[in-house]
Amino acid sequence: MYGQTTVSTPNTSASRMYRIEVEGMRQSSESDKQSYAIRKSGSVFFTVPYSRMNEQMRRINRMGGKIVNIQPLNTEPAPQPENSEN
């Protein structure tokens, strides 16, 4: 409706970031479009928002990479368990 606004919280899926570790990337016509060279050896890291993860994973597969690890990048500290010492 006209005049309505959407309020989002910082913990929505759009604000979640992930780091993807990739091995075995090869230089190809797809990677030639980028402004940096990709080496066959070693790991390459991509940081992407949750909303673009699927797209990035497809791109990695097309370029011959193998996804080794995916880690969430949390800006908030993990909740600490309460001590039940009495």
Side-chain angles (χ1 to χ4, degrees):
M1 272 178 85
Y2 181 74
Q4 289 184 340
T5 59
T6 304
V7 178
S8 63
T9 60
N11 293 332
T12 63
S13 64
S15 65
R16 290 185 288 180
M17 297 294 285
Y18 291 85
R19 178 174 293 155
I20 303 172
E21 182 180 358
V22 180
E23 288 183 346
M25 295 289 283
R26 66 172 181 248
Q27 194 73 27
S28 67
S29 60
E30 181 72 22
S31 61
D32 286 339
K33 297 175 188 175
Q34 300 177 8
S35 61
Y36 53 89
I38 296 178
R39 298 182 304 156
K40 178 88 172 155
S41 63
S43 294
V44 178
F45 294 90
F46 296 98
T47 302
V48 295
Y50 177 78
S51 60
R52 294 195 55 220
M53 259 180 71
N54 192 24
E55 177 186 339
Q56 184 66 33
M57 290 168 71
R58 287 184 195 162
R59 184 176 296 128
I60 290 166
N61 285 330
R62 281 195 310 263
M63 294 171 65
K66 178 182 174 186
I67 297 174
V68 179
N69 191 11
I70 299 176
Q71 293 180 330
L73 299 177
N74 296 333
T75 56
E76 300 176 5
Q80 299 295 323
E82 294 181 20
N83 282 338
S84 60
E85 295 177 14
N86 289 340

